Amino acid sequence: MTVAHILGFPRIGSRRELKTALEAHWSGKLDEAGLQCVGQDLRARHWQLQRAAGLEFVTVGDFAWYDHLHTVTALFSAAPARFGLGGRVDLAGYFAMARGTAEQPALAMKKWFDTNYHYLVPEIGPYTRFTLNRDWLLLDVREALALGHRVKVVLPGPLTWLWLAASEPDFDKLKLLSLLLNGYFVLLAELKALGVHWLQVDEPILALDLPPDWLAALPVVYRELASAGPAILLATYFGSVAQHAALLKQLPIAGLHLDLARAPQQLDAFLADWPQDKIMSLGVIDGRNLWRTNLALALAKLSKAKAILGDRLWVSASCSLLHVPTDLAREHKLDPTLKSWMAFATQKLDEVALLKRALDDGEDAIGDALQASTAAAQTRRLATTTLRPEIRARVAALSEADARRGAPFVARIVQQQAVLNLPPLPTTTIGSFPQTAEIRAARAAFKAGKLGEQDYRQAMQAEIRYAVEQQETLGLDVLVHGEAERNDMVEYFGEQLDGYCFTENGWVQSYGSRCVKPPVIYGDVARPRAMTVEWARYAQSLTTKPMKGMLSGPITMLFWSFVRDDLPRREVALQLALALRDEVCDLEAAGIKVIQIDEPAIREGLPLKKADWPAYLDWAVRAFRVCASGVRDDTQIHTHMCYSEFNDILPSIAAMDADVITIETSRSRMKLLDAFAEFRYPNDIGPGLYDIHSPRVPSAGEMKTLLDRALSVVPAERLWVNPDCGLKTRAWPETEAALRLMVSTARQARASLG
Ligand code: GLN
Ligand code: ZN
């Protein structure tokens, strides 16, 4: 019999019940007992879904109050001393670390591999000790057992936890391994005593490039864990682990899970001489995307494995379903055809179970479902909305020249300066101004049909007028319209592009109680009409200063959406680039002389393995260039990126060839600029002069120090002055105060330049 299981289920709830309860608890409106009830109910419901679908096991341990990696930190009492929590971590301590306290900033947050989920970074050092705080896992296990479920427990692996932890740079984190293993060992023995037969240990770091000492630790860890009790299913995902095939085959584990959605080709490296005593779990259903599985294709893949593995074959989704929305049944407004192409977490449970049945009882056993799946795949393949020949032809016809500006930067900047006539150290902002309650209310009323189009336009124009007046008063040099009409930088454009659709309840957890609802790219992307031109034209009409047009770039549009899986991403990126290129050209034609194309997500797209970086960077940079290169040489293109790790991708940033790049540098105190200087980054740079993440207004001295520092590494004639990022999360008073200071700091520096 084939075993059907999943690696994990979304914990937030189909109605975001966990979010609501957490936020009520944090604001003092729900006590801990009330919160516990909500958690218990969600777990019970999600287990029941798995059981009802016909899975062999329910997966226990995937629930977390904030983040699953953070739960391991609590499980082994590895709280950093600065929180003063003493030995055991209780729920209040858990949240204190996750959210910060009056005295202590929260643990840092980082993206979980190449997903948009964020984990809390453990802080460790030579002083770190581990004490098993078993309740953090065992209570859930007991709860599931008491409900009569067959349980498979999931736990992030010790190597992954250590690898993702932060420490002083010279500290060898592996020094803590044996102490940590002691904790795992005791825990595993207790799981066994509870009657848990299977333990899924997640080691996603195996898909990364790992140094030899970490690989050498792998057999040590799994020999130890295997001796503790339950049978271990080692789960890998997000990429191929074929490079470790020999090593993995020798581990004393009971089974291995492979992600065949991301890395189907890795199967061959394992199948041939897979040890007789081990099972293999194949993740053929995409756990990262919301498309319905083509069951016939999945079965073809699995049958080959079944012939070799027989009953040692397990079927699953590629990774935890944490990364997809919970239930498609909650979508009532989605076009029925589009809906028939999708499967959210709940539907993916059925898909896993169907595959199992087909493998065990033959395809006829799932005849109707198979037929429906094939029919959906067929309508998708033949749909005229997904394949538009004129768009394919336009992408195919793109030439080298389409991805190149007319003149090189040195010549362009002279022409641009002749048009713009800017002072040295020009001042600007990144695009958005405070999104006040009134703005949000007006947008919501318009969306709900309670505010007419005319009234809405007038309300937004009033906001633009206000933003322009403020900027004029402050004395900024290049103005922005303030983005009042935008809810979100991707959704705003997606709503106006063909090929995009939107869900009502397609929420996925981003971090803690925060969820995002990414738009869905299902078909060829096209721009039926101009998207931002009217707002930009209006804003420019209010001032003689240059007004920046403001767009989200193709790579950011791609990575912050659920992307179709029937076309390579590079191709989708070029479609987006062409749609945006038309917008760039229309802005230019409307008299806009400076156009900013935001690309905060370029770095997020970096593949997990370095060897795959060049190919990705190549198409990402090309997409940006296609988007930016349709304009005259005297039109100035800006880009903006808000993170602070550039060193390893600077050649690609330079290859984007934006005339001006604005970046986040204030928190690193301009340290990041050294890399730009060392690399001799050729074009203009606007390093952020102040942090926009807090309402705090920096002192004049702080700003001057940062600007002086920037001036010492970047030639004055190439330097711009701006905040780190957009100001939409700020209020007006601090925005005005900080910008006033920024402008006066720039003016003083200008004066001393002579
Ligand atoms: N133009 C956007 C803004 O100012 C940029 C946002 C971002 O970088 N994430 O809000
Ligand atoms: Zn930014």
Side-chain angles (χ1 to χ4, degrees), residues 430 600 640-643 664 724-726:
I430 306 305
H640 166 72
M641 295 173 196
C642 39
Y643 41 79
E664 175 181 319
D724 269 350
C725 189

Side-chain angles (χ1 to χ4, degrees), residues 280-342:
M280 193 188 288
S281 164
L282 298 182
V284 287
I285 285 163
D286 194 348
R288 291 277 297 270
N289 215 331
L290 44 61
W291 303 107
R292 181 173 183 170
T293 305
N294 183 330
L295 293 176
L297 290 184
L299 274 174
K301 262 191 234 172
L302 288 169
S303 304
K304 186 174 122 192
K306 172 94 180 170
I308 295 175
L309 297 168
D311 281 348
R312 291 179 297 137
L313 172 62
W314 289 23
V315 222
S316 185
S318 58
C319 58
S320 167
L321 299 172
L322 176 66
H323 309 289
V324 291
T326 303
D327 191 1
L328 186 62
R330 300 248 306 121
E331 297 301 319
H332 303 295
K333 294 193 185 145
L334 213 50
D335 170 88
T337 308
L338 288 180
K339 193 171 166 183
S340 76
W341 302 345
M342 295 179 186

Side-chain angles (χ1 to χ4, degrees), residues 522-720:
Y522 69 91
D524 285 351
V525 176
R527 188 196 70 141
R529 62 192 72 81
M531 303 182 281
T532 63
V533 175
E534 277 324 305
W535 300 119
R537 201 199 306 268
Y538 176 73
Q540 182 67 83
S541 77
L542 302 172
T543 177
T544 54
K545 299 226 169 133
M547 174 62 58
K548 265 198 282 194
M550 197 61 61
L551 303 173
S552 299
I555 300 303
T556 301
M557 293 292 295
L558 188 77
F559 283 109
W560 292 356
S561 306
F562 279 117
V563 185
R564 62 191 300 182
D565 59 355
D566 57 348
L567 196 67
R569 282 176 176 239
R570 54 177 355 124
E571 193 84 5
V572 181
L574 285 173
Q575 293 183 0
L576 283 160
L578 279 171
L580 290 161
R581 176 187 173 103
D582 293 347
E583 186 73 12
V584 171
C585 293
D586 282 354
L587 282 168
E588 179 186 64
I592 302 298
K593 299 180 173 67
V594 182
I595 299 162
Q596 178 174 314
I597 305 164
D598 291 327
E599 282 293 24
I602 283 234
R603 218 201 138 80
E604 292 175 15
L606 281 174
L608 295 178
K609 295 187 178 67
K610 264 254 159 83
D612 301 326
W613 283 23
Y616 161 71
L617 286 167
D618 193 61
W619 64 256
V621 169
R622 178 143 184 268
F624 181 87
R625 293 177 59 125
V626 163
C627 166
S629 298
V631 286
R632 296 189 310 263
D633 290 334
D634 64 0
T635 294
Q636 188 164 73
I637 298 289
H638 289 216
T639 190
H640 166 72
M641 295 173 196
C642 39
Y643 41 79
S644 39
E645 267 180 281
F646 284 97
N647 302 23
D648 47 1
I649 56 166
L650 262 178
S652 301
I653 303 288
M656 289 166 69
D657 199 25
D659 298 305
V660 182
I661 181 171
T662 55
I663 50 178
E664 175 181 319
T665 41
S666 80
R667 284 192 289 185
S668 75
R669 313 201 52 74
M670 298 282 160
K671 211 170 141 25
L672 169 65
L673 272 188
D674 295 344
F676 279 81
E678 207 171 297
F679 177 75
R680 296 178 187 283
Y681 179 81
N683 303 7
D684 281 13
I685 311 179
L689 220 55
Y690 76 91
D691 181 15
I692 53 84
H693 295 94
S694 97
R696 180 176 170 274
V697 178
S699 71
E702 285 170 69
M703 279 212 200
K704 179 169 173 355
T705 308
L706 288 189
L707 185 53
D708 287 344
R709 178 102 226 272
L711 277 163
S712 73
V713 279
V714 178
E717 62 277 15
R718 298 218 331 268
L719 195 60
W720 286 64

Side-chain angles (χ1 to χ4, degrees), residues 346-525:
T346 307
Q347 289 67 41
K348 285 175 194 274
L349 298 177
D350 292 330
E351 293 184 334
V352 175
L354 285 163
L355 290 174
K356 169 213 152 74
R357 268 176 59 204
L359 288 169
D360 286 348
D361 307 332
E363 296 193 358
D364 288 346
I366 63 158
D368 290 349
L370 198 56
Q371 211 170 5
S373 155
T374 303
Q378 179 123 359
T379 64
R380 195 174 163 201
R381 202 168 46 246
L382 300 178
T384 49
T385 46
T386 60
L387 199 165
R388 293 175 49 174
E390 75 283 8
I391 294 166
R392 300 292 170 103
R394 208 176 155 204
V395 169
L398 276 171
S399 67
E400 265 321 293
D402 291 327
R404 204 179 330 112
R405 300 287 299 272
F409 170 74
V410 279
R412 293 196 310 260
I413 195 76
V414 176
Q415 296 184 46
Q416 290 162 14
Q417 182 54 13
V419 173
L420 298 172
N421 210 2
L422 296 169
L425 308 177
T427 54
T428 190
T429 61
I430 306 305
S432 55
F433 273 113
Q435 287 257 336
T436 58
E438 297 82 69
I439 294 179
R440 281 195 299 262
R443 241 191 357 242
F446 176 54
K447 269 209 153 168
K450 289 183 196 133
L451 188 67
E453 181 152 3
Q454 195 62 28
D455 292 337
Y456 173 70
R457 179 162 329 123
Q458 274 168 14
M460 291 301 119
Q461 287 185 341
E463 294 296 340
I464 293 174
R465 229 163 27 238
Y466 182 73
V468 171
E469 277 161 20
Q470 297 306 306
Q471 295 172 84
E472 295 262 18
T473 311
L474 287 162
L476 286 152
D477 299 308
V478 175
L479 310 195
V480 297
H481 79 291
E483 302 180 22
E485 79 288 7
R486 301 186 189 175
N487 37 357
D488 170 275
M489 64 184 289
V490 171
E491 193 170 76
Y492 178 75
F493 289 97
E495 279 174 347
Q496 302 187 71
L497 290 168
D498 291 347
Y500 264 93
C501 69
F502 297 84
T503 62
E504 267 173 284
N505 295 297
W507 297 99
V508 286
Q509 191 179 15
S510 170
Y511 65 91
S513 67
R514 295 293 191 95
C515 299
V516 292
K517 190 157 68 67
V520 182
I521 303 177
Y522 69 91
D524 285 351
V525 176

Side-chain angles (χ1 to χ4, degrees), residues 71-88:
T71 303
V72 177
T73 306
L75 179 61
F76 295 111
S77 317
R82 64 187 180 91
F83 288 100
L85 295 175
R88 309 238 146 149

